[in-house]
Amino acid sequence: MRGAPPVLWTAAGFAAGAAASAAFGFDRTLLTLSVCWLPILVWRGPKSRALPLTACVLAGFLWGTAGRQAEEICTAHVADGDRASLGGHFIRASAEGASVLKTDCGEIRVYTRDGAPPEARSVTVEGRWIRSARPDGTEAVYLSASSVEETGDGRVPWATRVRSAIRGRAHDALKRRLGTQAGTASALVLAEREGIPRELWDAFARSGTAHLLSISGFHVGVIATLLGALLSAAGQPPRRRAAFVAAGVWAYVLLIGAPTSATRAAWMTTAFVLGRLRRAPSSALGALGLSALMIALLRPGVVGGAGFQLTVAGTAGILILSRWMIRHWPRHRFRAAIAPTVAAGIGASVFTAPVLAHHFGQVPLLSLPSSILLTPLVAAAVPGVILTIVLDALHLPGAGLAGAGAEGLLHAVTAAAARLGALPGAVVLVTPLEAGLLTAGALLPMALTAAPWRRRPAVRAAVSVLTACAVLWAGQAAMSLAGRGTLQIVAIDVGQGDAIALRTPRGRWLLVDAGPRGFGGSDAGASRVIPYLHARGARRLEAVVLTHPDEDHAGGLASVLKGIAAGAVIGPGVSIGQAGQMDGLAEARRAGVPWRRAAVGDAWSIDGVRFRVLHPPGRAGAGEPGKAGEAPDPDAPNDWSVVLEVTWGDFSALLTGDADAKVEAAVLARLGAGAPPAITLLKVGHHGSITSTAEAFVDAVRPQYALISVGARNRYGHPDPQVLARLERAGARIFRTDLQGTVLLTARPDGTVKVRTSR
């Protein structure tokens, strides 16, 4: 990267600043940047290259902050739960997830219940505002629609109507001509994912070929090649041909909604065309820098997302490693044909590994062979799909034949992806640190090309592998030693719900509840719990304790069981048919995870940490198992909440689920004869509701720390001021996920505790 053009460094700095603004907020990030960079600037002096890079980072940071504030103006005055009536038109309509409504104020995310709303038509949307906190501390504001009524199309811009009409005709043509592969074809050329089953998306992701179905530089390259071939056949001169190709690429990218990766490819195409028009060849890395800079300027909100980071990192890896491998590849008559393909696959895999690990906690191992196998099939299918659309739209003969050929190719692609994704070990769970260490180790030999062994490719490959393994081993050893000898209890910020992770002194993990699954497809198990566990190196859960079947505790259970191996699910043994628990039960059966009933008297120990169930009662009654008594109401899930006591040396904790005052009274009787012992940590019941954390209970257990898992500005008013007052009078230090994000308590056997929060 020493020879990288200045525009690439400018783009990298600007994009880093914009991403930092989106991830951490203004005050905290600015302070962090100042602390990190000011000493470097002072040490290197005013002529250092760090000065312009810092200026780019700060400019991107301020630009991203301004852009986010501008987007929030439209919703700044609304309160959670307020009714709303908005007029506008949908510019992106989705049957699953959020659609985007264009209003006079700006773009608003809207969740609808009855399929995809009408696109490019004037509508009135009735519903309620929903405000929820993101894991990074910012707010997501969207509209939950109860009705969508068309009011005519007079206010819709003509360009939007044309774009919608073309997409509609193309979509109808694919449905008529491609049969079962219409959904895959729509994803390939129209960026419409709704027609692809979730299982197929997962298969492509596991096989490392999901990029083939997401509109990216590959697809734009196919379009550009087709346009170039047509223009060349028409006899257009090179410079005019290049300009027409750029214009055609931009028309296509805007037609499909300008996905980030496709926009990056369009800007790079523009840079190459400008070089052709100036009769000066453009640098590929310079074109990448220009594209990243333009996206960060025009759409700063996407810089912190996986799409932007993957397309930039992957393209950089392809360009950098391809150039290096071609220079150092052994001279062979097949070098020109083999080296670029292998280098592109390895470069994209190596450079994107830290990004994948950061956002998804896993890296596909079959990306290179899968891409080599499937890329030619997709490259052949895309022209067939486009030809099918054109012939069908113009009512020309041959549309059926072209569609049948494209359908056959896509069937082969989807079948191969499903087989590859089902192979054992197709993906590996890694932390961002592990992925970064592997990438650094794999790239380190590139800096040693002046070594005597540089001319021996086999030796270079061996050194790369050994270096990567050595760096990874050192990093894992440091991570392992850092957490030894402590008990960690983490309240993962899942909004209005519970997900409590526990890490034992020897690095084994348990999870108590799995977070909520909400309207519009949000799933805290998939979006927050699994990424947190993967990022901390958790590869297996000894058990998942489900306190009760309410959606805010059990909604993410199925996703958790899909994303990480579990030894058992332990629950209260009651069900009222809620979807989250039933889906979790189905996933547990599929994965062969035993489902066990928790009852008073159950106890186990892991690495010296003792766990004891204090509620619910056994089947015989409300007392100890085998004793008669009044059983909880089967129609009241909170009455069945599993209450778990955790002890390690002088440290103790009570994890109470949504237990109410009646359950707390029963728990006090089971904690011990006479006065119950004081506890170190209390996980406050029912998110701080007034129905829980009774005064007598608080006075009896006298917690030093109180942990409240609760959503920001939730509609229930949690936590209740009276509950907070009781805890404060008892001398407890209160930590809340709505205010402080994810809360990590690190305990030692002498009872001492350190607390760290994500905000």
Side-chain angles (χ1 to χ4, degrees):
M1 293 293 289
R2 184 177 300 176
V7 67
L8 185 60
W9 290 112
T10 301
F14 191 89
S21 172
F24 302 112
F26 185 84
D27 296 332
R28 185 169 181 171
T29 307
L30 188 59
L31 177 61
T32 303
L33 290 173
S34 300
V35 170
C36 293
W37 279 100
L38 285 179
I40 297 176
L41 294 178
V42 172
W43 174 58
R44 297 297 300 272
K47 295 183 179 181
S48 169
R49 292 184 179 180
L51 184 60
L53 180 61
T54 302
C56 292
V57 172
L58 291 177
F61 173 70
L62 295 173
W63 184 261
T65 301
R68 189 175 63 185
Q69 291 174 346
E71 291 177 356
E72 294 172 351
I73 290 176
C74 292
T75 56
H77 63 285
V78 302
D80 185 53
D82 282 356
R83 295 201 64 83
S85 178
L86 298 179
H89 62 276
F90 285 98
I91 57 176
R92 288 191 296 276
S94 173
E96 299 179 2
S99 300
V100 178
L101 180 70
K102 180 72 173 180
T103 69
D104 293 337
C105 182
E107 296 180 2
I108 305 295
R109 287 192 306 148
V110 177
Y111 286 100
T112 55
R113 294 179 173 84
D114 301 324
E119 187 175 302
R121 300 179 188 175
S122 293
V123 295
T124 299
V125 181
E126 304 279 349
R128 291 185 180 274
W129 290 109
I130 304 296
R131 303 186 76 100
S132 62
R134 300 187 182 100
D136 59 18
T138 61
E139 271 197 322
V141 183
Y142 58 90
L143 188 68
S144 175
S146 57
S147 67
V148 178
E149 295 184 3
E150 294 187 35
T151 59
D153 59 356
R155 298 176 57 190
V156 180
W158 67 268
T160 302
R161 293 201 301 270
V162 170
R163 172 179 170 271
S164 178
I166 295 175
R167 287 167 59 92
R169 291 286 298 273
H171 189 264
D172 291 341
L174 294 178
K175 289 176 65 176
R176 283 193 299 269
R177 303 295 184 179
L178 269 75
T180 58
Q181 297 299 324
T184 307
S186 294
L188 272 176
V189 299
L190 300 177
E192 294 182 356
R193 301 184 179 183
E194 285 75 19
I196 298 183
R198 179 57 184 248
E199 295 77 13
L200 184 57
W201 273 111
D202 291 342
F204 273 94
R206 289 178 58 84
S207 64
T209 54
H211 61 282
L212 295 179
L213 289 186
S214 300
I215 300 294
S216 63
F218 165 74
H219 302 77
V220 174
V222 172
I223 297 296
T225 301
L226 290 175
L227 288 174
L230 291 174
L231 292 168
S232 179
Q236 295 295 327
R239 298 180 68 186
R240 183 178 299 177
R241 186 166 65 240
F244 283 158
V245 166
V249 164
W250 272 111
Y252 171 70
V253 169
L254 295 175
L255 175 67
I256 62 175
T260 302
S261 55
T263 305
R264 187 268 309 159
W267 279 114
M268 291 188 69
T269 303
T270 303
F272 292 134
V273 168
L274 291 175
R276 174 65 66 89
L277 295 177
R278 293 186 299 111
R279 300 184 184 276
S282 299
S283 163
L285 288 175
L288 175 62
L290 173 66
S291 65
L293 182 60
M294 296 306 298
I295 293 173
L297 281 170
L298 299 176
R299 301 169 62 188
V302 307
V303 174
F308 175 85
Q309 295 170 13
L310 286 173
T311 189
V312 173
T315 306
I318 292 171
L319 297 176
I320 293 170
L321 207 61
S322 295
R323 183 170 61 181
W324 184 83
M325 288 189 70
I326 290 174
R327 287 179 179 176
H328 299 88
W329 195 273
R331 295 190 178 278
H332 192 279
R333 64 176 181 270
F334 296 117
R335 182 176 71 168
I338 298 175
T341 302
V342 175
I346 295 177
S349 300
V350 169
F351 276 64
T352 58
V355 181
L356 290 169
H358 173 70
H359 288 282
F360 308 109
Q362 61 185 25
V363 174
L365 296 181
L366 300 178
S367 179
L368 179 58
S370 298
S371 296
I372 293 176
L373 174 64
L374 298 184
T375 297
L377 296 176
V378 175
V382 169
V385 172
I386 296 173
L387 182 61
T388 301
I389 294 173
V390 173
L391 294 178
D392 185 271
L394 298 178
H395 304 288
L396 296 175
L401 181 61
E407 182 181 5
L409 289 170
L410 292 180
H411 180 75
V413 169
T414 54
R419 293 288 183 89
L420 291 168
L423 292 176
V427 297
V428 58
L429 304 180
V430 295
T431 67
L433 177 59
E434 289 172 340
L437 291 173
L438 275 172
T439 298
L443 294 178
L444 184 59
M446 289 178 61
L448 305 177
T449 53
W453 45 265
R454 69 185 185 278
R455 299 185 183 277
R456 296 180 176 271
V459 178
R460 283 203 302 270
V463 171
S464 297
V465 172
L466 293 175
T467 304
C469 292
V471 173
L472 176 62
W473 177 84
Q476 288 180 325
M479 290 174 60
S480 177
L481 293 174
R484 290 281 177 173
T486 63
L487 170 65
Q488 295 182 343
I489 299 180
V490 188
I492 304 173
D493 181 14
V494 293
Q496 185 68 11
D498 270 18
I500 311 296
L502 297 93
R503 183 183 187 273
T504 68
R506 293 185 180 178
R508 294 198 276 185
W509 290 84
L510 289 89
L511 181 69
V512 180
D513 291 324
R517 182 175 59 182
F519 177 67
S522 63
D523 186 332
S527 64
R528 303 193 184 186
V529 178
I530 287 297
Y532 183 89
L533 293 173
H534 284 178
R536 272 71 189 172
R539 297 295 177 264
R540 183 180 187 275
L541 297 171
E542 301 303 313
V544 178
V545 179
L546 180 64
T547 60
H548 64 294
D550 280 350
E551 285 294 296
D552 57 337
H553 294 248
L557 178 59
S559 295
V560 167
L561 295 178
K562 287 180 182 178
I564 189 168
V569 177
I570 302 173
V574 64
S575 173
I576 58 175
Q578 299 213 45
Q581 185 192 37
M582 302 309 292
D583 291 346
L585 177 60
E587 181 59 29
R589 288 174 176 169
R590 186 199 65 79
V593 178
W595 193 290
R596 299 171 181 166
R597 185 175 185 272
V600 171
D602 292 346
W604 64 92
S605 180
I606 302 177
D607 298 338
V609 180
R610 181 173 173 79
F611 300 85
R612 182 164 65 118
V613 176
L614 301 177
H615 191 79
R619 293 186 181 278
E624 300 295 332
K627 296 183 180 180
E630 182 183 355
D633 182 355
D635 294 326
N638 290 352
D639 291 354
W640 287 84
S641 282
V642 174
V643 178
L644 198 63
E645 180 190 36
V646 183
T647 55
W648 186 47
D650 293 334
F651 173 84
S652 60
L654 276 182
L655 310 180
T656 59
D658 278 0
D660 61 13
K662 300 191 300 294
V663 174
E664 292 172 350
V667 167
L668 286 179
R670 297 174 184 130
L671 276 173
I679 63 170
T680 312
L681 168 67
L682 172 66
K683 203 294 295 184
V684 175
H686 204 177
H687 322 291
S689 167
I690 190 62
T691 60
S692 303
T693 323
E695 184 129 19
F697 180 71
V698 175
D699 291 343
V701 300
R702 303 183 302 282
Q704 298 178 37
Y705 299 87
L707 187 57
I708 306 176
S709 184
V710 62
R713 285 171 290 281
N714 62 86
R715 65 186 65 188
Y716 310 104
H718 298 161
D720 191 277
Q722 295 184 48
V723 171
L724 296 176
R726 292 169 191 166
L727 294 169
E728 290 172 352
R729 286 195 297 270
R733 292 183 59 190
I734 302 173
F735 293 91
R736 299 166 44 175
T737 58
D738 60 334
L739 300 180
Q740 290 140 320
T742 296
V743 181
L744 166 64
L745 293 96
T746 302
R748 296 190 176 276
D750 60 2
T752 58
V753 173
K754 291 184 178 180
V755 183
R756 188 175 66 188
T757 65
S758 62
R759 299 180 197 163

